[in-house]
Amino acid sequence: KFSDHEERLSGSDREEDEDDVEAALKKEVGQIRASTEQKLRRFQSVESGANNVVFIRTQGIEPENLVHHILKDMHTTKKKKTRVILRMLPISGTCKAFMEDMKKYTETFFEPWFKAPNKGTFQIVYKARNNSHMSREEVIKELAGIVGSLNPENKVDLNNPQYTVVVEIIKTVCCLSVVRDYVLFRKYNLQEVVKSSKEDAQQKSSLTEEQNSEVVKAETEEEEKSSKEVKEEKK
């Protein structure tokens, strides 16, 4: 809640303000600003421009810390708290989705994590929606180069990086964030992060069995093909 400055004025202050035209005008402007601030919400839905994507604007909240806290809680408690949300990604900065704009913006945006003396291992994940003019390979190559230029000790790690640079392009807007524990929290997937180790093991086992069955099937088809060729040769 935002405080109302007008309510904190004493009775004598109000009388003085009423006698002074300039002060009265300032007070009126202050009241208008306070009224506008009170209408602001901590969370406000904004049109994203893409199907199945909800964008929530925050006021006075660091999106990386908020999302990390939510995922950490779900990972610890293993309690499923949503049925329809698949992934939750923080967005800390935006720029135009053109290579020159992205390069210029990220040179400053990446500094808190990657500029010397700061350093760390990293990976870059990229996804584009309703956009066909950007090249995934080019974006990853250019942004990785910028991270390396900020500190040569920054190294790529695709298995378990300290930081993951999230690049989400929607139409002509590039949304950026640098997140922690991306692998631990299953790519920030709210459905996967609550699964227990036993469920993961069962899922992997089921997947392995399915893959093996496909291999056996393929081998059987090869055997049938070989037997047909042998039969034809005998004929």
Side-chain angles (χ1 to χ4, degrees):
K1 294 181 180 180
F2 295 91
S3 62
D4 189 343
H5 300 289
E6 196 271 337
E7 288 182 359
R8 294 188 292 179
L9 292 173
S10 65
S12 60
D13 289 335
R14 292 180 182 178
E15 291 175 1
E16 290 176 4
D17 286 348
E18 289 171 358
D19 295 335
D20 189 334
V21 176
E22 184 179 357
L25 289 173
K26 287 183 179 179
K27 185 175 74 172
E28 186 175 353
V29 172
Q31 289 174 343
I32 293 172
R33 288 178 177 173
S35 177
T36 303
E37 289 178 346
Q38 287 174 352
K39 292 179 182 178
L40 295 176
R41 298 180 181 179
R42 293 178 67 194
F43 303 99
Q44 180 70 47
S45 177
V46 180
E47 180 60 40
S48 68
N51 292 334
N52 302 321
V53 178
V54 178
F55 193 94
I56 305 296
R57 182 173 56 198
T58 62
Q59 291 286 341
I61 294 173
E62 292 294 334
E64 297 105 327
N65 295 336
L66 173 65
V67 176
H68 189 273
H69 176 79
I70 292 171
L71 283 157
K72 183 178 180 181
D73 175 66
M74 295 179 70
H75 180 265
T76 303
T77 62
K78 298 300 180 184
K79 290 182 179 179
K80 189 175 181 179
K81 299 181 179 181
T82 175
R83 291 186 302 160
V84 296
I85 299 176
L86 182 62
R87 299 175 73 207
M88 180 179 285
L89 293 171
I91 301 300
S92 303
T94 60
C95 64
K96 293 182 179 179
F98 297 94
M99 202 63 254
E100 290 304 315
D101 294 276
M102 293 170 63
K103 287 165 65 176
K104 184 178 180 180
Y105 182 76
T106 53
E107 285 175 357
T108 303
F109 178 77
F110 287 153
E111 288 184 355
W113 299 276
F114 302 115
K115 185 176 181 179
N118 297 328
K119 64 179 181 179
T121 57
F122 72 98
Q123 67 171 342
I124 299 174
V125 296
Y126 172 94
K127 186 174 182 62
R129 297 178 176 86
N130 301 345
N131 179 294
S132 59
H133 72 270
M134 298 298 295
S135 166
R136 178 180 180 275
E137 290 74 18
E138 182 184 4
V139 169
I140 292 177
K141 179 181 177 181
E142 293 291 344
L143 297 190
I146 291 172
V147 173
S149 67
L150 292 173
N151 188 343
E153 294 188 33
N154 293 320
K155 302 296 181 183
V156 174
D157 184 347
L158 302 180
N159 296 318
N160 190 27
Q162 291 175 268
Y163 302 108
T164 296
V165 178
V166 177
V167 182
E168 291 276 332
I169 293 180
I170 302 176
K171 291 187 176 180
T172 59
V173 179
C174 174
C175 302
L176 292 162
S177 62
V178 179
V179 301
R180 296 168 289 141
D181 299 319
Y182 189 76
V183 175
L184 177 65
F185 294 158
R186 313 299 172 84
K187 300 180 179 180
Y188 278 37
N189 187 310
L190 302 186
Q191 306 299 324
E192 294 293 326
V193 76
V194 296
K195 290 184 177 179
S196 64
S197 301
K198 185 178 180 181
E199 288 176 319
D200 285 339
Q202 290 176 345
Q203 186 175 2
K204 289 179 181 178
S205 175
S206 175
L207 181 62
T208 303
E209 289 176 1
E210 185 178 348
Q211 290 174 338
N212 290 338
S213 66
E214 290 178 355
V215 173
V216 171
K217 183 179 179 182
E219 291 176 349
T220 304
E221 290 175 351
E222 289 295 328
E223 290 174 359
E224 290 178 355
K225 184 178 179 181
S226 300
S227 64
K228 287 181 181 179
E229 290 176 354
V230 171
K231 188 176 181 181
E232 288 177 358
E233 288 177 358
K234 287 182 179 181
K235 285 182 179 179

